Amino acid sequence: MLWRFILQDAVSLMSDATTSSFRALARLLRYARGYRRRIIAASACSVINKLFDIAPEILIGVAIDVVVNQEQSFVAGLGFESAREQILILGALTFFIWAGESLFEYLFQVLWRNLAQRLQADLRQDAYEHAQRLDMGFFESRSSGQLVATMNDDVNQLERFLDGGANAMIQVGVTVVAVGAVFFVLSPLIALLAFTPIPLIVWGAFYFQRKAGPLYAEVRERVGDLSSRLSNNLAGIATIKSFTAEAREAERLRQASEAYVEANRRAIRISSAFIPVIRMAILAGFLATFTVGGMMALRGDLNVGAYGVLVFLTQRLLWPLTGLAQVIDLFERAMASTRRILDLLAEPIVVRDDGGRALAEPVRGEVTFADVSFRYPGSGEGVSEVSLAVPAGHTLALVGATGSGKSTLIKLLLRFHDPAAGEIRIDGQPIRELELTSLRRAIGLVSQDVYLFEGPVRDNIAYGRPDAPEADIIAAAQTAEAWAFIQALPQGLDTPVGERGVRLSGGQRQRLSLARALLKDPPILVLDEATSAVDNETEAAIQRSLKRIAHQRTVIMIAHRLSTIVHADQIAVIHGGRVVERGTHGELLAHNGRYAAQWRVQTGEIEAADASLA
């Protein structure tokens, strides 16, 4: 009855675990289909190694039998009559068994570890490449720290399990089956006694697994929170210092770190209780074999050598089961991490690149927004029924208050999002039908929030054309009015810019961003507040260069400073996600609407500032 109760409870606990950790394992195995041969080879080496590992205990019992029974021993029945010959044969067998165990231990170590390295590298690469294909809405709703933790720490956690935990799980199973078979051959009664603790051990394993699973899932979440806090604080260190918020941010980090420690503490408390409980169950099985088997040997019902084998193998059978605690610990941590990794890989790609056609060459750059509507899921902001047409080679300026929808139109043009209604066309071709690569190659973006990659100036300018000759890089830098300050840098084009361009001023970063877009030589150039971070002299220089390049391409500009767009062929005023005014600078001033009011405010501020300086 006790066995039935324990087994039923274990099955119940197992079914609970299957819905979480075992389901994650099944998902991982489906992902790892391409590694099937490596997994089978590594598993086979683990099995053979464990069989060799068990064999010496059997040989010890056989040796005892030889010493006690000599010519009547088990080995004598195989044709080796003298005791001396039997011992020599057992010695030779011992050598080959130990050599075989060492060989297959080397093989399974190499196979499992290489598999762990290969799988973690491919899994991280696949997760990153999948993340690159996700729409911008995904990144706007996730912290970068959580994503970094998933692609780095979670993948490493899985690697640690494959390095040792997978082999341990296989070898525990092999031990139970192989040793159990020897037991039942030698003495079914002692086999029953030795196996009595196993249902309790299995029940305990699944019980602790069920308790530990949610705790380790929380541990992974706390790791993500901690990574996010560190990432954000290091990126914003200048702001922290300027507001003398070091102590406050240190306290926030301490709280995140303590939350991680506390989550780990709860998990450790559960996993650490497993070995002491299981140790007592093992003791019960060992004592049963030791005493009952000893009595049977004294009565002559059991061969002395067989008794020795059973005593040695009882520990070999039961003691490795204490390793279930560490195995389950590794398994739970790995499966919690695996769920996060595979959940990232399962994120749906909203903006799909389904192998559309390339833009017809040559790309003229005509852009049309036809009744385009889009709303962000969280805030509900966006654009509604926007219709705009930009002839090839013309300049369109978008103006309006912050949050009016200007940048949303640019994101839709680049297909960072797809509109809920309406259509965007380039040269008459709907952009949904175009290859994303072809679409985005035709557009050069200079954003207000300039991102420079760590590395030299040269690589940042040539980011869109890595194979561009130096002459073209210099020409782009000259057009963007960046060449003068680049020449003044210690190493010129080879000067490192630092992380996110921290070694350069805001205006210098802006000009490098413009040079990067110009080197790409796109037929459509998008400027999102491209001159917001430069001084008046540099702005005037950039405006001169923009006038030169605007004759060769379509330019879409977003600007708050209206003085930068007075020469645009068309100006559209966006308010509340809709186009409320449209025309040239002169036409909009004559209309005396929102644009004219904003122009009066800005020119009035300039006049007031001039008067105060005088």
Side-chain angles (χ1 to χ4, degrees):
M1 290 297 292
L2 177 62
W3 270 39
R4 182 181 300 175
F5 169 76
I6 292 174
L7 287 172
Q8 286 176 347
D9 203 11
V11 170
S12 173
L13 291 172
M14 190 186 302
S15 64
D16 291 340
T18 302
T19 61
S20 53
S21 298
F22 289 170
R23 183 172 294 174
L25 178 60
R27 291 174 65 191
L28 177 63
L29 291 174
R30 285 196 298 272
Y31 169 82
R33 286 190 300 269
Y35 308 87
R36 190 170 296 165
R37 290 185 179 179
R38 301 187 196 184
I39 293 172
I40 292 172
S43 300
C45 289
S46 294
V47 170
I48 296 171
N49 167 261
K50 181 49 63 176
L51 292 176
F52 276 124
D53 183 48
I54 293 169
E57 275 76 8
I58 299 174
L59 289 182
I60 291 173
V62 174
I64 292 172
D65 179 51
V66 169
V67 171
V68 173
N69 296 313
Q70 298 188 18
E71 284 77 9
Q72 283 76 44
S73 70
F74 169 75
V75 178
L78 299 177
F80 304 97
E81 295 182 358
S82 73
R84 185 183 298 274
E85 189 178 12
Q86 295 173 38
I87 291 295
L88 290 175
I89 290 298
L90 291 177
L93 275 175
T94 301
F95 171 79
F96 285 112
I97 286 171
W98 278 74
E101 180 189 357
S102 299
L103 172 63
F104 282 96
E105 181 167 0
Y106 168 77
L107 291 175
F108 85 65
Q109 292 272 13
V110 169
L111 289 170
W112 279 118
R113 289 182 177 181
N114 284 335
L115 173 65
Q117 292 300 316
R118 186 70 268 152
L119 184 58
Q120 64 92 14
D122 291 346
L123 194 55
R124 181 183 290 111
Q125 188 69 26
D126 288 347
Y128 174 74
E129 290 182 6
H130 181 77
Q132 284 194 133
R133 292 192 292 271
L134 296 174
D135 66 291
M136 291 302 295
F138 171 82
F139 295 96
E140 291 162 359
S141 62
R142 302 290 198 286
S143 75
S144 59
Q146 288 281 359
L147 292 174
V148 170
T150 297
M151 295 184 197
N152 190 41
D153 195 70
D154 284 332
V155 171
N156 290 340
Q157 193 69 54
L158 177 59
E159 176 199 354
R160 284 191 284 273
F161 169 70
L162 291 174
D163 266 345
N167 171 71
M169 289 181 70
I170 291 170
Q171 293 201 332
V172 166
V174 171
T175 299
V176 172
V177 173
V179 173
V182 174
F183 265 62
F184 279 99
V185 167
L186 294 178
S187 174
L189 174 61
I190 294 180
L192 269 174
L193 294 173
F195 272 71
T196 297
I198 290 182
L200 179 61
I201 294 171
V202 172
W203 174 85
F206 285 111
Y207 174 80
F208 282 103
Q209 180 193 26
R210 186 182 67 174
K211 293 292 185 182
L215 297 178
Y216 282 123
E218 184 183 357
V219 169
R220 304 316 313 147
E221 289 298 320
R222 298 290 78 79
V223 168
D225 293 343
L226 186 57
S227 297
S228 182
R229 173 62 59 187
L230 282 168
S231 176
N232 288 338
N233 283 15
L234 291 175
I237 192 67
T239 303
I240 292 172
K241 286 179 175 293
S242 67
F243 283 90
T244 62
E246 291 93 339
R248 186 166 70 249
E249 291 302 332
E251 176 60 21
R252 288 182 178 177
L253 180 63
R254 189 193 66 79
Q255 291 175 1
S257 183
E258 287 299 320
Y260 172 58
V261 170
E262 177 61 21
N264 253 318
R265 187 187 65 79
R266 290 193 293 269
I268 290 169
R269 184 178 59 197
I270 292 295
S271 62
S272 298
F274 181 72
I275 288 181
V277 172
I278 299 309
R279 189 188 297 269
M280 300 310 296
I282 290 170
L283 177 62
F286 178 75
L287 286 176
T289 303
F290 185 80
T291 55
V292 174
M295 295 298 180
M296 292 175 66
L298 289 173
R299 291 197 306 266
D301 297 335
L302 183 66
N303 183 286
V304 174
Y307 172 61
V309 171
L310 292 174
V311 170
F312 284 117
L313 285 185
T314 300
Q315 278 194 313
R316 181 60 64 140
L317 168 68
L318 298 177
W319 186 250
L321 295 176
T322 61
L324 281 175
Q326 290 181 327
V327 173
I328 288 172
D329 186 73
L330 280 172
F331 179 71
E332 285 298 340
R333 288 176 183 266
M335 292 307 103
S337 295
T338 297
R339 280 193 294 273
R340 286 160 55 94
I341 301 165
L342 296 180
D343 285 348
L344 173 58
L345 283 169
E347 281 287 339
I349 299 174
V350 178
V351 178
R352 305 196 65 86
D353 187 6
D354 295 324
R357 63 180 185 272
L359 265 170
E361 296 288 345
V363 180
R364 293 180 291 109
E366 177 188 327
V367 178
T368 305
F369 295 85
D371 294 320
V372 171
S373 297
F374 172 80
R375 294 289 172 186
Y376 294 101
S379 63
E381 295 182 350
V383 293
S384 298
E385 300 177 348
V386 170
S387 292
L388 291 167
V390 190
H394 283 60
T395 298
L396 167 69
L398 303 174
V399 299
T402 300
S404 60
K406 306 183 299 298
S407 294
T408 299
L409 291 175
I410 301 306
K411 292 177 181 178
L412 294 174
L413 176 62
L414 285 160
R415 283 200 75 197
F416 291 165
H417 305 279
D418 276 333
E423 188 175 69
I424 303 173
R425 296 187 292 271
I426 293 179
D427 292 349
Q429 301 177 72
I431 63 172
R432 279 182 184 267
E433 300 175 5
L434 300 175
E435 295 176 347
L436 281 176
T437 301
S438 176
L439 167 68
R440 291 171 182 168
R441 279 178 180 166
I443 303 171
L445 174 65
V446 182
S447 176
Q448 180 180 8
D449 183 18
V450 176
Y451 191 96
L452 297 182
F453 295 89
E454 190 167 7
V457 170
R458 179 193 310 275
D459 290 352
N460 274 279
I461 295 177
Y463 190 72
R465 282 178 58 197
D467 56 347
E470 184 165 315
D472 289 357
I473 295 173
I474 293 173
Q478 289 172 335
T479 304
E481 302 288 339
W483 184 238
F485 87 77
I486 291 174
Q487 286 181 303
L489 293 174
Q491 298 169 257
L493 283 170
D494 296 315
T495 303
V497 301
E499 188 175 5
R500 297 180 64 93
V502 69
R503 297 181 183 178
L504 304 178
S505 70
Q508 289 172 333
R509 291 196 295 269
Q510 195 79 59
R511 281 175 277 175
L512 285 189
S513 178
L514 180 59
R516 179 165 62 190
L518 294 177
L519 182 63
K520 184 180 176 182
D521 194 25
I524 302 169
L525 183 62
V526 175
L527 307 170
D528 186 355
E529 290 289 340
T531 59
S532 62
V534 298
D535 54 55
N536 291 335
E537 182 179 349
T538 304
E539 180 189 353
I542 292 177
Q543 290 298 324
R544 290 194 299 270
S545 65
L546 288 178
K547 285 181 182 178
R548 291 195 298 272
I549 64 175
H551 294 296
Q552 305 168 12
R553 72 194 79 234
T554 302
V555 178
I556 299 177
M557 304 174 63
I558 295 177
H560 286 104
R561 202 181 303 175
L562 301 186
S563 59
T564 64
I565 60 166
V566 294
H567 299 294
D569 298 303
Q570 183 182 180
I571 301 170
V573 181
I574 312 295
H575 179 73
R578 297 176 180 273
V579 178
V580 294
E581 295 178 19
R582 187 184 317 166
T584 64
H585 173 71
E587 291 170 347
L588 291 174
L589 288 181
H591 180 66
N592 200 27
R594 290 182 177 274
Y595 180 86
Q598 189 174 350
W599 175 260
R600 287 193 297 269
V601 169
Q602 291 192 9
T603 55
E605 287 176 348
I606 293 170
E607 291 169 0
D610 290 342
S612 65
L613 290 173

